[in-house]
Amino acid sequence: MTVSAADPLGGFAEYPDPLHAPCEGIYHAPSDQIYVEEIVNPGSNGNIGSLGVLDPVTGEIARYPLPVPGTTAGGAAFGPDGKLWFTYFGASSGVAFLDPDTRLFNAFPTPSPNSTPTDIWPGPDNAMYFTESIAQNLGRIDLTTHQITEVPIPGGGLNVPTTIIMPGAGAKMMFSAALANRIVEYDTATGEFTHHDVPTPGAVPQGLTLGADGAIWFSETLGAKIGRIDPISGDITEYPIATPEVPVPSMGPLVLGSDGNLWSANGGFTGGSTIGRFDTTTHHIDYFPLPRPGSGPCDIDSVAAATGKLVIGQTTGGAIAVAEIEELNAIK
């Protein structure tokens, strides 16, 4: 049994999940439970990872080993069908879902066996879109037929290693090509790709989100900046985010909060331990320390943030942290 902190520390309540490297927490509003992507949880079928279901009232986590041997989960998101969809990779590659009602899995291998899909998100056309880092494809699974199609991403080879995918404006999906140092948009209606090269060399753009102003905002993990792509001109403006308090932010995922600010998980696998709040009008950033040092916040749930709740997976810290945006804003 795991239990949460009796009282929030610095605005954050924590739910320990030791030895399982929780990377992502996905808030499920209908049940008020949090689904947890656990990178490490060897099971009897030879798998590597699991999905957990955290009850915030009791702090208990029910674990469900992944159904495909030798695999762990990549990104995860609830689809319009109500299922928790996730990518998996390792001994094989594919996408799968966990049914919240039955707690049963269904897995669908990708046509490219070693595609290594990394992230997944619902598109505008009754489908889930996912990025394939090794195969260099953009994948799509139809939620009615469960048929998978793959579209090669222009650039080829290791020029476009894809990471985080999110919905863009209109019929577009957008994803970060971290090592190629660019943000890419894909029009699901026309099949057209648009590349946005980041001005700072080697910035490693990762987290990205559609801002309240209609612009694409993204984090630069090594560039120590937040970037903005103008929705009309495509021009990129960059804003430094290093402060004396946090000289090396190592900013990862970026989400739009219910307050109109951008919130970020900073540290990831580098052992950082802060959450950032960036004002898109003043371009000022504040950092909030997580309760445990070196917690390595890996991801932050964008759907929960839109409703006023921050749900953060702390990979090296072995815990899920939860905070109310309103309460953090009252602190500073």
Side-chain angles (χ1 to χ4, degrees):
M1 176 177 177
T2 55
V3 295
S4 67
D7 296 301
L9 302 173
F12 295 94
E14 278 202 329
Y15 302 89
D17 187 17
L19 307 179
H20 292 94
C23 184
E24 187 172 0
I26 307 101
Y27 180 62
H28 187 239
S31 66
D32 201 35
Q33 294 179 322
I34 296 171
Y35 284 70
V36 185
E37 174 202 331
E38 298 176 322
I39 298 176
V40 180
N41 186 34
S44 58
N45 70 341
N47 63 347
I48 301 170
S50 62
L51 292 181
V53 184
L54 165 65
D55 185 336
V57 176
T58 65
E60 294 183 347
I61 299 177
R63 292 189 177 87
Y64 301 88
L66 300 190
V68 183
T71 64
T72 193
F78 280 100
D81 58 355
K83 307 293 195 301
L84 180 66
W85 284 86
F86 60 95
T87 61
Y88 65 85
F89 57 89
S92 59
S93 295
V95 297
F97 68 72
L98 176 69
D99 188 315
D101 297 322
T102 65
R103 301 287 166 84
L104 296 177
F105 288 99
N106 205 339
F108 308 92
T110 53
S112 301
N114 299 314
S115 62
T116 312
T118 49
D119 200 18
I120 190 167
W121 202 261
D125 52 353
N126 192 45
M128 301 295 289
Y129 283 82
F130 53 95
T131 51
E132 298 181 353
S133 292
I134 299 301
Q136 302 303 303
N137 295 326
L138 183 64
R140 176 188 185 274
I141 182 165
D142 187 285
L143 292 183
T144 300
T145 65
H146 294 155
Q147 180 178 355
I148 293 178
T149 55
E150 297 171 320
V151 179
I153 299 169
L158 292 179
N159 189 38
V160 189
T162 55
T163 50
I164 296 172
I165 188 167
M166 292 289 286
K172 293 182 178 181
M173 300 296 292
M174 56 183 183
F175 56 89
S176 55
L179 298 186
N181 213 42
R182 63 171 60 117
I183 301 297
V184 184
E185 291 182 280
Y186 176 74
D187 193 317
T188 63
T190 66
E192 180 181 1
F193 287 91
T194 302
H195 289 187
H196 303 281
D197 293 319
V198 177
T200 299
V204 186
Q206 291 198 69
L208 72 167
T209 191
L210 196 64
D213 56 356
I216 298 173
W217 292 83
F218 59 92
S219 62
E220 300 180 17
T221 303
L222 296 186
K225 298 173 184 175
I226 284 179
R228 177 187 185 273
I229 302 176
D230 187 278
I232 298 175
S233 68
D235 293 340
I236 295 180
T237 307
E238 298 172 301
Y239 303 95
I241 54 171
T243 68
E245 176 189 17
V246 184
V248 184
S250 297
M251 185 172 286
L254 193 68
V255 300
L256 177 64
S258 58
D259 58 349
N261 292 317
L262 300 179
W263 293 81
S264 62
N266 314 313
F269 293 99
T270 65
S273 193
T274 63
I275 297 300
R277 180 189 63 202
F278 181 79
D279 188 311
T280 59
T281 301
T282 65
H283 309 139
H284 176 76
I285 192 163
D286 287 301
Y287 290 102
F288 298 82
L290 287 161
R292 60 183 68 197
S295 63
C298 174
D299 212 341
I300 185 168
D301 185 21
S302 61
V303 175
T307 67
K309 186 186 299 289
L310 299 183
V311 177
I312 306 118
Q314 301 175 85
T315 304
T316 54
I320 298 293
V322 179
E324 299 294 333
I325 287 177
E326 184 177 335
E327 293 180 9
L328 289 183
N329 285 337
I331 294 174
K332 61 178 175 181

